[in-house]
Structures are given as structure tokens and as C-alpha cells.
Amino acid sequence: MSVLNVMWSGGGAFVSVHKVHRQILQLCKPGEAIETLLLQSGDAAPLSDVGCVTSLGLSSARIKGAGLVGALQRVLDRRRLAKRLVQRPSRLVLIDGIGVAAFILPLLTKLTATRVVVLFHGSKRLKAEHIALLRGFPADRLDLVAVSATLAAELEEQVGRNVLNGRVAIEPAAFRSSLLPRETAQRVLGVPVGAGRTIGAVGRLVPEKGFSRLVTAIAGWLLNNPEDRLVIVGEGVEREHLKALAAELGVLNQIHLVGHHAEAPRLYSAFDLICIPSEQEGLGLVLPEAVIACVPVLASDLAVFREQLNGAAGLLPSATEVWRDALNSVLVEDLDSLADVQRAGMDAEGVWARFEAFYQHLLAR
């Protein structure tokens, strides 16, 4: 028997999710065969060393059954996948979120020797048919798991079934040892080395990440401190909007949109401060990565971030003026002290130990 890990797609936008699943799969029973199945396609490098990776190459329309043609293709695709699942049975199927679950979970109903874990990474309002799907699957073979206690409580209220808190974690010692030296990291990012402070932000360039608010809030500081810069690591639909906003505010030369970097977690030493102005997050790895890397953080005052920092300083309301004032204040204070307080609040070593124990037990059942 084996473990099958089913995910939506590959590529840069999915790297964080891939890393979470990789950490979980590494806790499977020794010697157990592991395969990752991508419904779409793309690079899934973080998963390549925990078994084989196979892509079905389906379009989003075919996965969702959009339109008449998409619906017909979806029937055929699921029929082929159902045959594959019967021919190559798995002891456990780990499913990435409700979109993937909607496609594959009905195919697993009659495979009574297969346990299923649906792992939720982000906050969203579930559709009625998705709730019915989760409620209708045999409860003794299905575990619903969320990557934070905050998300678990939210989903449990919607679904009406127990949702486990499987808060994800990062192994602190290994993560710190992987960090590049400061100047090397800055060169990799293609930003000025040495002079001035480098404020960082990491994430997809989409509205819910709040980067427009960050650019607006930090513009005054940058104008008064011409050697400082804001570096945003990530790619997405807001790139041109952010460039236009930076130009309008007169700080285009100090705001660096460096695109997606596969090695972004190794580059935190490039930064003096990390900003996470997200409007919503299921968990988000940027906060724990930055804190473990000893980089202080300013983040939105979201429940999931309060959960991770255990009340430590650095969380802000979403108002642009609050962010502006906080940046103007914290950038003239002792950043090392803020980093120390946040590191103590997070207790990364304790969180990692609990992560290992939780998922080893979950996968072994």
C-alpha cells in the first residue's frame, strides 16, 4: 500500500503549499511509497524528493466541469482516475483543499481500505455542495485538518464536523542553517548591497496581500530616507498597478519588484524588516520564516497571526495611516528587540515538536 498526495497544480504560486505537504509526507512510515498527483501541471520541485510526481495536465475548466464541454470532459477524466485508484490502491490519500476534494473525494467513497485527509490551507466560504460532500463521506475514513486553530474553528462552524488543528511548522535549526549571508542574499535579489535599510515583503502580487497599502504607507519614509528600499518578492496580477503607484508616489526607484524566487526562504537575511499587510491568511509561512530567521515583522492584526505570535508585538490594524505611523516609528527603534520578543512569542522549537507528533499520529492511523 502507498500514500497518494493530490494537489491542484505546480508552479511558483503553489510553492508554499508544496512545502507544507512535503514536510507532512516526510513523516510517513519509513519505506512507504509516496506519489504526488497534480490535477493540472507545472513544477513541483519541493515534492520531488519525497516520491514521484505525476501531472494529469487538466485545465481548470475540466477540473471544475465548467460549461457543457467541461462537464463532459470532467466525467471522462474522473472515470479514468477512478480506474487508476482501483488499480493502484492507496492506504492514505492526502488532499489539498476543497477544490481538489470536490474532484476526487467522490471517487474514494467505495475504496473502503483507503483513509482520506483533506488539508485546508486558506480561509474561504464553502459552497453548499462542498459541505454536503464532506458531510456525506464516511466519517470513520475522513479527517478534516486545517493549518491553524483559527482556520479549524472557522471551517468546523461551516461544515458541522470536527476539524483538526494541524498547525504547520518549520524546523528551526535546519531553516536557519539554510539562510544565505546578508550580502549574498541581497545580490541574489538584485538590490543595492550594504547602504541603507531593506524592508521586505513576500507573496503573490494580488489584492488580498495588501501590497498597495504597504507601498502607500512606506512612501513617505522612503522619500525621507533615499538609501532605503522596499523589496517585494513575488509575482502576480498587481505588478503593473504597484509599479504605477510607486511612480505616482515618487518612489519607483526605491521599490523593487523582483519577481518570484524559488529560493526565497533562504534570502531573509537580506532584510532588516518584513511586512505582511495581508487582508486574510489561512496560515502563511512568511511570518514564521521571518521570525525564525531573526528578522522582525510588522503584520496585519489577523487572528491567525495572533495565534502564531502568542500576543507578541508587531501586529497592526489594516488602516494605511496606522501602517505609515508604525513604519516611521519602528524603523528608528531597536529592531533586534522586536525580533527577540517575536521569537520568544512564537516558540518555533515547541511548535515544530507538536507538528511532528500530530502528523506522525495522523498518518499512521
Side-chain angles (χ1 to χ4, degrees), residues 146-239:
V147 297
S148 71
T150 302
L151 181 57
E154 178 185 316
L155 290 168
E156 193 167 287
E157 183 178 353
Q158 293 185 58
V159 179
R161 284 184 58 164
N162 184 44
V163 180
L164 301 173
N165 170 21
R167 176 176 168 179
V168 300
I170 298 165
E171 200 285 297
F175 184 82
R176 291 189 190 106
S177 68
S178 73
L179 295 170
L180 296 176
R182 178 179 175 85
E183 290 190 359
T184 303
Q186 290 179 334
R187 290 192 180 96
V188 169
L189 289 169
V191 300
V193 174
R197 286 188 166 179
T198 301
I199 299 94
V202 183
R204 291 177 297 119
L205 307 186
V206 293
E208 57 266 31
K209 292 297 183 181
F211 292 142
S212 292
R213 180 167 61 251
L214 176 59
V215 169
T216 302
I218 204 171
W221 174 270
L222 294 178
L223 288 171
N224 291 324
N225 297 271
E227 290 192 331
D228 290 0
R229 79 282 303 175
L230 170 65
V231 177
I232 303 179
V233 183
E235 197 54 83
V237 296
E238 284 234 302
R239 168 179 279 274

Coordinates of all heavy atoms in Angstrom, one line a residue, residues 146-239:
A146 N -7.0 21.6 9.3 CA -6.7 22.9 9.0 C -5.3 23.3 9.5 O -4.9 22.8 10.5 CB -7.7 23.9 9.5
V147 N -4.6 24.2 8.8 CA -3.3 24.5 9.1 C -3.1 25.5 10.3 O -2.0 25.9 10.6 CB -2.5 25.1 7.9 CG1 -2.4 24.0 6.8 CG2 -3.1 26.4 7.4
S148 N -4.2 25.9 10.9 CA -4.2 26.7 12.1 C -5.4 26.5 12.9 O -6.5 26.1 12.4 CB -4.1 28.2 11.8 OG -5.3 28.7 11.2
A149 N -5.4 26.8 14.2 CA -6.6 26.7 15.1 C -7.6 27.6 14.6 O -8.8 27.3 14.7 CB -6.2 26.9 16.5
T150 N -7.2 28.8 14.2 CA -8.2 29.8 13.7 C -9.0 29.3 12.5 O -10.2 29.4 12.5 CB -7.4 31.1 13.3 OG1 -6.7 31.6 14.4 CG2 -8.4 32.2 12.8
L151 N -8.3 28.7 11.6 CA -9.0 28.2 10.4 C -9.8 27.0 10.7 O -10.9 26.8 10.2 CB -7.9 27.9 9.3 CG -8.4 27.3 8.0 CD1 -9.4 28.3 7.3 CD2 -7.3 27.0 7.0
A152 N -9.3 26.1 11.6 CA -10.0 24.9 12.0 C -11.4 25.3 12.6 O -12.4 24.7 12.3 CB -9.2 24.1 13.0
A153 N -11.4 26.3 13.5 CA -12.7 26.8 14.1 C -13.6 27.3 13.1 O -14.8 27.1 13.1 CB -12.4 27.8 15.2
E154 N -13.1 28.1 12.1 CA -13.9 28.7 11.1 C -14.6 27.6 10.2 O -15.8 27.6 9.9 CB -13.1 29.6 10.2 CG -13.8 30.2 9.1 CD -12.8 31.0 8.2 OE1 -12.0 31.7 8.7 OE2 -12.9 30.9 7.0
L155 N -13.8 26.6 9.8 CA -14.3 25.5 9.0 C -15.3 24.6 9.7 O -16.3 24.1 9.2 CB -13.1 24.7 8.4 CG -12.3 25.4 7.4 CD1 -11.0 24.6 7.1 CD2 -13.1 25.5 6.1
E156 N -15.0 24.3 11.0 CA -15.8 23.5 11.8 C -17.2 24.1 11.9 O -18.3 23.4 11.9 CB -15.2 23.3 13.2 CG -15.9 22.1 14.0 CD -15.0 21.8 15.2 OE1 -14.0 21.1 15.0 OE2 -15.4 22.1 16.3
E157 N -17.3 25.4 12.1 CA -18.6 26.0 12.1 C -19.4 25.9 10.8 O -20.6 25.7 10.8 CB -18.4 27.5 12.5 CG -19.7 28.3 12.6 CD -19.5 29.8 13.0 OE1 -18.3 30.1 13.2 OE2 -20.4 30.5 13.0
Q158 N -18.7 25.9 9.7 CA -19.4 25.8 8.4 C -19.8 24.4 8.1 O -20.9 24.1 7.7 CB -18.4 26.2 7.3 CG -18.1 27.7 7.3 CD -17.2 28.1 6.1 OE1 -17.6 27.9 4.9 NE2 -16.0 28.6 6.3
V159 N -18.9 23.4 8.4 CA -19.1 22.0 8.0 C -20.0 21.3 9.0 O -20.8 20.4 8.6 CB -17.8 21.3 7.7 CG1 -18.0 19.9 7.3 CG2 -17.0 22.0 6.7
G160 N -19.9 21.6 10.2 CA -20.6 20.9 11.2 C -20.0 19.5 11.6 O -20.7 18.6 12.1
R161 N -18.7 19.4 11.2 CA -17.9 18.2 11.6 C -16.6 18.6 12.2 O -16.2 19.7 12.0 CB -17.6 17.3 10.3 CG -18.8 16.5 9.8 CD -18.5 15.7 8.6 NE -17.4 14.7 8.9 CZ -17.1 13.6 8.2 NH1 -17.8 13.4 7.1 NH2 -16.1 12.8 8.5
N162 N -16.1 17.7 13.0 CA -14.8 18.1 13.7 C -13.7 18.4 12.6 O -13.5 17.6 11.7 CB -14.4 16.9 14.5 CG -13.1 17.2 15.3 OD1 -13.0 18.3 15.9 ND2 -12.2 16.2 15.4
V163 N -13.0 19.5 12.8 CA -11.9 19.8 12.0 C -10.7 19.9 12.9 O -10.6 20.7 13.9 CB -12.1 21.2 11.3 CG1 -10.9 21.5 10.4 CG2 -13.3 21.1 10.4
L164 N -9.6 19.1 12.6 CA -8.5 19.1 13.5 C -7.5 20.3 13.2 O -7.4 20.8 12.1 CB -7.7 17.8 13.2 CG -8.5 16.5 13.5 CD1 -7.6 15.3 13.0 CD2 -8.9 16.3 14.9
N165 N -6.9 20.7 14.3 CA -5.9 21.8 14.2 C -4.5 21.2 13.9 O -3.9 20.7 14.8 CB -5.8 22.6 15.5 CG -4.7 23.6 15.5 OD1 -4.1 23.9 14.5 ND2 -4.3 24.0 16.7
G166 N -4.1 21.2 12.7 CA -2.8 20.6 12.3 C -1.9 21.8 11.9 O -1.3 21.8 10.8
R167 N -1.7 22.7 12.8 CA -0.9 23.9 12.6 C 0.5 23.4 12.0 O 1.2 22.6 12.6 CB -0.6 24.6 13.9 CG 0.3 25.8 13.7 CD 0.4 26.6 15.0 NE 1.5 27.6 15.0 CZ 1.8 28.4 16.0 NH1 1.0 28.4 17.1 NH2 2.8 29.3 15.9
V168 N 0.8 24.0 10.8 CA 2.1 23.7 10.2 C 3.2 24.4 10.9 O 3.0 25.4 11.6 CB 2.0 24.0 8.7 CG1 0.9 23.2 8.0 CG2 1.9 25.5 8.4
A169 N 4.4 23.9 10.6 CA 5.6 24.4 11.3 C 6.8 24.3 10.4 O 6.8 23.6 9.4 CB 5.8 23.7 12.6
I170 N 7.9 24.9 10.8 CA 9.1 24.9 10.1 C 10.2 24.4 11.1 O 10.2 24.9 12.3 CB 9.5 26.3 9.6 CG1 8.5 26.8 8.6 CG2 10.9 26.3 9.0 CD1 8.5 28.2 8.3
E171 N 11.0 23.5 10.7 CA 12.1 23.0 11.5 C 13.1 24.1 11.7 O 13.8 24.5 10.8 CB 12.7 21.8 10.9 CG 13.4 20.9 11.9 CD 14.8 21.5 12.3 OE1 15.6 21.6 11.5 OE2 15.0 21.8 13.5
P172 N 13.2 24.7 12.9 CA 14.0 25.9 13.1 C 15.5 25.8 12.8 O 16.0 26.7 12.1 CB 13.8 26.3 14.6 CG 12.6 25.6 15.0 CD 12.5 24.3 14.2
A173 N 16.2 24.8 13.3 CA 17.6 24.7 13.1 C 18.0 24.5 11.7 O 18.9 25.2 11.2 CB 18.2 23.5 14.0
A174 N 17.3 23.7 11.0 CA 17.5 23.4 9.5 C 17.3 24.7 8.7 O 18.0 25.0 7.8 CB 16.7 22.3 9.0
F175 N 16.2 25.4 9.1 CA 15.8 26.6 8.3 C 16.9 27.7 8.5 O 17.4 28.3 7.5 CB 14.5 27.2 8.8 CG 14.0 28.3 8.0 CD1 13.4 28.2 6.8 CD2 14.2 29.6 8.5 CE1 13.0 29.3 6.0 CE2 13.8 30.7 7.7 CZ 13.2 30.5 6.5
R176 N 17.4 27.9 9.7 CA 18.4 28.9 10.0 C 19.7 28.6 9.3 O 20.4 29.5 8.7 CB 18.6 29.1 11.5 CG 17.5 29.7 12.2 CD 17.8 30.0 13.7 NE 16.7 30.4 14.4 CZ 16.1 29.6 15.4 NH1 16.6 28.5 15.6 NH2 15.0 30.0 16.0
S177 N 20.0 27.3 9.3 CA 21.3 26.9 8.6 C 21.2 27.1 7.1 O 22.3 27.1 6.4 CB 21.6 25.4 9.0 OG 20.7 24.5 8.4
S178 N 20.0 27.1 6.5 CA 19.9 27.3 5.1 C 20.0 28.7 4.6 O 20.1 29.0 3.4 CB 18.6 26.7 4.6 OG 17.5 27.6 5.0
L179 N 20.0 29.7 5.5 CA 20.0 31.1 5.2 C 21.3 31.5 4.5 O 22.4 31.2 5.0 CB 19.7 32.0 6.4 CG 18.3 31.8 7.0 CD1 18.2 32.5 8.3 CD2 17.2 32.3 6.1
L180 N 21.2 32.3 3.5 CA 22.4 32.9 2.8 C 22.9 34.1 3.6 O 22.1 34.7 4.3 CB 22.1 33.3 1.4 CG 21.7 32.2 0.4 CD1 21.3 32.8 -0.9 CD2 22.8 31.2 0.3
P181 N 24.2 34.4 3.6 CA 24.7 35.6 4.2 C 24.0 36.8 3.6 O 23.5 36.8 2.5 CB 26.2 35.6 3.8 CG 26.5 34.2 3.6 CD 25.3 33.6 2.9
R182 N 24.0 37.9 4.4 CA 23.2 39.1 4.0 C 23.6 39.6 2.6 O 22.7 39.8 1.8 CB 23.4 40.2 5.1 CG 22.7 41.5 4.8 CD 22.9 42.5 5.9 NE 22.3 43.8 5.5 CZ 21.0 44.1 5.7 NH1 20.2 43.3 6.2 NH2 20.6 45.3 5.4
E183 N 24.8 39.9 2.4 CA 25.2 40.5 1.1 C 25.0 39.5 0.0 O 24.5 40.0 -1.1 CB 26.7 40.9 1.2 CG 27.0 42.0 2.1 CD 28.4 42.6 1.9 OE1 29.2 42.0 1.1 OE2 28.8 43.5 2.6
T184 N 25.2 38.2 0.2 CA 24.9 37.3 -0.9 C 23.4 37.3 -1.2 O 23.0 37.3 -2.4 CB 25.3 35.8 -0.5 OG1 26.7 35.8 -0.1 CG2 25.0 34.8 -1.6
A185 N 22.5 37.3 -0.2 CA 21.1 37.3 -0.4 C 20.7 38.6 -1.1 O 19.8 38.5 -2.0 CB 20.4 37.2 1.0
Q186 N 21.3 39.7 -0.8 CA 20.9 41.0 -1.5 C 21.3 40.9 -2.9 O 20.6 41.4 -3.8 CB 21.5 42.1 -0.7 CG 20.9 42.4 0.6 CD 21.5 43.6 1.4 OE1 22.6 43.9 1.2 NE2 20.7 44.2 2.2
R187 N 22.5 40.3 -3.2 CA 22.9 40.2 -4.6 C 22.0 39.3 -5.4 O 21.6 39.5 -6.6 CB 24.3 39.7 -4.7 CG 25.4 40.7 -4.2 CD 26.8 40.2 -4.6 NE 27.8 41.2 -4.1 CZ 28.5 41.1 -3.0 NH1 28.3 40.0 -2.2 NH2 29.3 42.0 -2.6
V188 N 21.5 38.2 -4.8 CA 20.6 37.3 -5.4 C 19.3 38.0 -5.8 O 18.7 37.8 -6.8 CB 20.3 36.1 -4.5 CG1 19.1 35.3 -5.1 CG2 21.5 35.2 -4.4
L189 N 18.9 38.9 -4.9 CA 17.6 39.7 -5.1 C 17.9 40.8 -6.1 O 16.9 41.4 -6.6 CB 17.1 40.2 -3.8 CG 16.5 39.2 -2.8 CD1 16.2 39.9 -1.5 CD2 15.2 38.7 -3.4
G190 N 19.1 41.2 -6.4 CA 19.4 42.2 -7.3 C 19.2 43.6 -6.8 O 18.8 44.5 -7.5
V191 N 19.4 43.8 -5.5 CA 19.2 45.1 -4.8 C 20.5 45.6 -4.3 O 21.4 44.9 -4.1 CB 18.1 45.0 -3.7 CG1 16.8 44.5 -4.3 CG2 18.6 44.1 -2.6
P192 N 20.6 46.9 -4.1 CA 21.8 47.5 -3.6 C 22.3 46.8 -2.3 O 21.5 46.5 -1.4 CB 21.5 49.0 -3.3 CG 20.3 49.2 -4.2 CD 19.6 48.0 -4.3
V193 N 23.6 46.6 -2.2 CA 24.2 45.9 -1.1 C 24.8 46.9 -0.1 O 25.5 47.8 -0.5 CB 25.3 44.9 -1.6 CG1 26.1 44.3 -0.4 CG2 24.8 43.9 -2.5
G194 N 24.5 46.7 1.2 CA 25.2 47.4 2.2 C 24.4 48.7 2.7 O 23.8 48.7 3.7
A195 N 24.4 49.7 1.9 CA 23.9 51.0 2.3 C 22.4 51.0 2.5 O 21.7 50.3 1.7 CB 24.2 52.1 1.3
G196 N 21.9 51.7 3.5 CA 20.5 51.8 3.8 C 19.9 50.5 4.3 O 20.5 49.5 4.4
R197 N 18.6 50.7 4.6 CA 17.8 49.5 5.1 C 17.0 48.9 4.0 O 16.4 49.6 3.2 CB 16.9 50.0 6.3 CG 17.7 50.2 7.6 CD 16.8 50.5 8.8 NE 17.6 50.4 10.0 CZ 17.0 50.6 11.2 NH1 15.8 50.9 11.3 NH2 17.8 50.5 12.3
T198 N 16.8 47.6 4.1 CA 16.0 46.9 3.2 C 14.8 46.3 3.9 O 14.9 45.5 4.7 CB 16.8 45.7 2.5 OG1 18.0 46.2 1.9 CG2 15.9 45.0 1.5
I199 N 13.6 46.9 3.5 CA 12.3 46.4 4.0 C 11.8 45.4 3.0 O 11.8 45.7 1.8 CB 11.4 47.6 4.3 CG1 11.9 48.5 5.3 CG2 10.0 47.0 4.7 CD1 12.7 49.7 4.7
G200 N 11.4 44.3 3.5 CA 10.9 43.2 2.6 C 9.5 42.8 2.7 O 8.8 43.1 3.7
A201 N 8.9 42.3 1.6 CA 7.6 41.7 1.6 C 7.6 40.5 0.7 O 8.3 40.6 -0.4 CB 6.5 42.7 1.2
V202 N 6.9 39.4 1.0 CA 7.0 38.2 0.2 C 5.6 37.7 0.0 O 4.8 37.5 1.0 CB 7.8 37.1 0.9 CG1 7.9 35.9 0.0 CG2 9.2 37.6 1.3
G203 N 5.2 37.4 -1.2 CA 3.9 36.9 -1.5 C 3.4 37.2 -2.9 O 4.1 37.9 -3.7
R204 N 2.3 36.5 -3.3 CA 1.8 36.8 -4.6 C 1.3 38.2 -4.7 O 0.7 38.8 -3.8 CB 0.6 35.8 -4.9 CG 1.0 34.4 -5.0 CD -0.2 33.4 -5.2 NE -1.0 33.4 -4.0 CZ -2.3 33.8 -4.0 NH1 -2.9 34.2 -5.2 NH2 -3.0 33.8 -2.9
L205 N 1.5 38.8 -5.9 CA 1.0 40.2 -6.1 C -0.4 40.2 -6.5 O -0.8 40.3 -7.7 CB 1.9 40.8 -7.2 CG 3.4 40.8 -7.1 CD1 4.1 41.6 -8.1 CD2 3.8 41.2 -5.7
V206 N -1.3 40.0 -5.5 CA -2.7 40.0 -5.6 C -3.3 40.9 -4.6 O -2.7 41.2 -3.6 CB -3.3 38.6 -5.5 CG1 -2.8 37.7 -6.6 CG2 -2.9 38.0 -4.1
P207 N -4.5 41.5 -4.8 CA -5.1 42.5 -3.9 C -5.1 42.1 -2.5 O -4.9 42.9 -1.6 CB -6.5 42.7 -4.5 CG -6.3 42.4 -5.9 CD -5.4 41.3 -6.0
E208 N -5.5 40.8 -2.2 CA -5.6 40.4 -0.8 C -4.4 40.4 0.0 O -4.4 40.3 1.3 CB -6.3 39.0 -0.7 CG -5.6 37.9 -1.4 CD -6.1 37.7 -2.8 OE1 -6.6 38.7 -3.4 OE2 -6.1 36.5 -3.3
K209 N -3.2 40.5 -0.6 CA -1.9 40.6 0.1 C -1.7 42.0 0.6 O -0.7 42.2 1.4 CB -0.8 40.1 -0.8 CG -0.8 38.6 -1.1 CD -0.7 37.7 0.1 CE -0.7 36.3 -0.3 NZ -0.6 35.4 0.9
G210 N -2.4 43.0 0.2 CA -2.3 44.3 0.8 C -1.1 45.1 0.4 O -0.7 46.1 1.1
F211 N -0.4 44.7 -0.7 CA 0.9 45.4 -1.0 C 0.6 46.9 -1.5 O 1.5 47.7 -1.3 CB 1.6 44.6 -2.1 CG 2.2 43.3 -1.6 CD1 2.1 42.2 -2.4 CD2 2.7 43.2 -0.3 CE1 2.6 41.0 -2.0 CE2 3.1 42.0 0.1 CZ 3.1 40.9 -0.7
S212 N -0.5 47.2 -2.0 CA -0.8 48.6 -2.4 C -0.8 49.5 -1.1 O -0.2 50.6 -1.1 CB -2.2 48.7 -3.1 OG -2.1 48.1 -4.3
R213 N -1.4 49.0 -0.1 CA -1.4 49.7 1.2 C 0.0 49.9 1.7 O 0.4 50.9 2.2 CB -2.3 48.9 2.2 CG -2.3 49.6 3.6 CD -3.4 49.1 4.5 NE -3.2 47.7 4.8 CZ -3.9 46.7 4.3 NH1 -4.9 46.9 3.4 NH2 -3.7 45.4 4.6
L214 N 0.8 48.8 1.6 CA 2.2 48.9 2.1 C 3.0 50.0 1.3 O 3.7 50.8 1.9 CB 2.9 47.6 2.0 CG 4.4 47.5 2.3 CD1 4.6 47.9 3.8 CD2 4.9 46.1 2.1
V215 N 2.9 50.0 0.0 CA 3.6 50.9 -0.9 C 3.2 52.3 -0.5 O 4.0 53.2 -0.3 CB 3.3 50.7 -2.4 CG1 3.8 51.8 -3.2 CG2 4.0 49.3 -2.8
T216 N 1.9 52.6 -0.3 CA 1.4 53.9 0.1 C 1.9 54.3 1.4 O 2.3 55.4 1.7 CB -0.1 53.9 0.1 OG1 -0.6 53.5 -1.2 CG2 -0.7 55.3 0.4
A217 N 1.9 53.3 2.4 CA 2.3 53.7 3.8 C 3.8 54.0 3.9 O 4.2 54.8 4.7 CB 1.9 52.5 4.7
I218 N 4.6 53.3 3.1 CA 6.1 53.4 3.3 C 6.6 54.5 2.4 O 7.8 54.9 2.5 CB 6.8 52.1 2.9 CG1 8.1 52.0 3.6 CG2 6.9 51.9 1.4 CD1 8.8 50.7 3.6
A219 N 5.8 55.1 1.5 CA 6.4 56.1 0.5 C 7.0 57.3 1.2 O 8.1 57.7 0.8 CB 5.3 56.6 -0.4
G220 N 6.4 57.8 2.3 CA 6.9 58.9 3.0 C 8.3 58.6 3.6 O 9.2 59.5 3.5
W221 N 8.4 57.5 4.2 CA 9.7 57.1 4.8 C 10.8 57.0 3.7 O 11.9 57.5 3.9 CB 9.6 55.7 5.5 CG 10.9 55.2 6.0 CD1 11.8 54.4 5.3 CD2 11.5 55.5 7.2 NE1 12.9 54.2 6.0 CE2 12.8 54.9 7.2 CE3 11.2 56.3 8.3 CZ2 13.7 55.0 8.3 CZ3 12.1 56.4 9.4 CH2 13.3 55.7 9.4
L222 N 10.5 56.4 2.6 CA 11.4 56.2 1.5 C 11.9 57.6 1.0 O 13.1 57.8 0.7 CB 10.9 55.4 0.4 CG 10.6 53.9 0.8 CD1 10.0 53.2 -0.4 CD2 11.9 53.2 1.2
L223 N 11.0 58.5 0.8 CA 11.3 59.8 0.3 C 12.3 60.5 1.3 O 13.2 61.3 0.8 CB 10.1 60.7 0.1 CG 9.2 60.3 -1.1 CD1 7.9 61.0 -1.0 CD2 9.9 60.5 -2.4
N224 N 12.1 60.3 2.6 CA 13.0 61.0 3.6 C 14.2 60.2 3.8 O 15.2 60.7 4.5 CB 12.2 61.1 4.9 CG 11.1 62.2 4.8 OD1 11.2 63.2 4.1 ND2 10.0 61.9 5.4
N225 N 14.3 58.9 3.3 CA 15.5 58.1 3.5 C 15.9 57.4 2.2 O 15.6 56.3 1.9 CB 15.2 57.0 4.6 CG 14.9 57.6 5.9 OD1 15.8 57.8 6.7 ND2 13.6 57.9 6.2
P226 N 16.5 58.2 1.3 CA 16.7 57.8 -0.1 C 17.6 56.6 -0.3 O 17.6 56.0 -1.3 CB 17.3 59.0 -0.8 CG 17.9 59.9 0.4 CD 17.0 59.6 1.5
E227 N 18.4 56.2 0.8 CA 19.2 55.0 0.6 C 18.4 53.7 1.0 O 18.9 52.6 0.8 CB 20.4 55.1 1.5 CG 21.4 56.1 1.0 CD 22.8 56.0 1.7 OE1 22.8 55.6 2.9 OE2 23.8 56.3 1.1
D228 N 17.2 53.8 1.6 CA 16.4 52.7 2.0 C 15.6 52.2 0.8 O 15.4 53.0 -0.2 CB 15.5 53.0 3.1 CG 16.2 53.2 4.4 OD1 17.5 53.0 4.4 OD2 15.6 53.4 5.5
R229 N 15.1 51.0 0.8 CA 14.3 50.5 -0.3 C 13.3 49.4 0.3 O 13.5 48.8 1.3 CB 15.1 49.9 -1.4 CG 15.7 48.5 -1.2 CD 16.9 48.4 -0.3 NE 18.0 49.2 -0.7 CZ 19.1 49.3 0.0 NH1 19.2 48.7 1.2 NH2 20.1 50.1 -0.4
L230 N 12.2 49.3 -0.5 CA 11.2 48.2 -0.3 C 11.4 47.2 -1.4 O 11.4 47.5 -2.5 CB 9.8 48.7 -0.3 CG 8.7 47.7 -0.3 CD1 8.7 46.9 1.1 CD2 7.3 48.4 -0.5
V231 N 11.6 45.9 -1.0 CA 11.7 44.8 -1.9 C 10.6 43.8 -1.8 O 10.4 43.3 -0.7 CB 13.1 44.1 -1.7 CG1 13.2 42.9 -2.6 CG2 14.2 45.0 -1.8
I232 N 9.8 43.7 -2.8 CA 8.7 42.8 -2.8 C 9.0 41.5 -3.7 O 9.3 41.7 -4.9 CB 7.4 43.4 -3.3 CG1 7.1 44.7 -2.5 CG2 6.2 42.5 -3.2 CD1 5.9 45.4 -2.9
V233 N 9.0 40.4 -3.0 CA 9.4 39.1 -3.7 C 8.1 38.4 -4.0 O 7.3 38.0 -3.1 CB 10.3 38.2 -2.8 CG1 10.7 37.0 -3.5 CG2 11.5 39.0 -2.3
G234 N 7.8 38.2 -5.3 CA 6.6 37.5 -5.7 C 6.1 38.0 -7.1 O 6.7 39.0 -7.6
E235 N 5.2 37.3 -7.6 CA 4.7 37.7 -8.9 C 3.2 37.6 -8.9 O 2.6 36.9 -8.1 CB 5.2 36.7 -10.0 CG 5.1 37.2 -11.4 CD 5.7 38.6 -11.6 OE1 6.9 38.7 -11.8 OE2 4.9 39.6 -11.6
G236 N 2.5 38.3 -9.8 CA 1.1 38.3 -9.9 C 0.4 39.4 -10.7 O 1.2 40.3 -11.2
V237 N -0.9 39.5 -10.6 CA -1.6 40.4 -11.5 C -1.5 41.9 -11.1 O -1.8 42.8 -11.9 CB -3.1 40.0 -11.5 CG1 -3.3 38.7 -12.1 CG2 -3.7 40.1 -10.1
E238 N -1.0 42.2 -9.9 CA -0.9 43.5 -9.4 C 0.4 44.2 -9.7 O 0.7 45.3 -9.4 CB -1.1 43.6 -7.9 CG -2.6 43.5 -7.5 CD -3.0 44.6 -6.6 OE1 -2.4 44.8 -5.5 OE2 -4.0 45.3 -7.0
R239 N 1.3 43.5 -10.5 CA 2.6 44.1 -10.7 C 2.6 45.5 -11.3 O 3.2 46.4 -10.8 CB 3.5 43.1 -11.6 CG 4.7 43.8 -12.2 CD 5.5 42.8 -13.0 NE 6.3 41.9 -12.2 CZ 7.5 42.2 -11.7 NH1 8.1 43.4 -12.0 NH2 8.2 41.4 -11.0

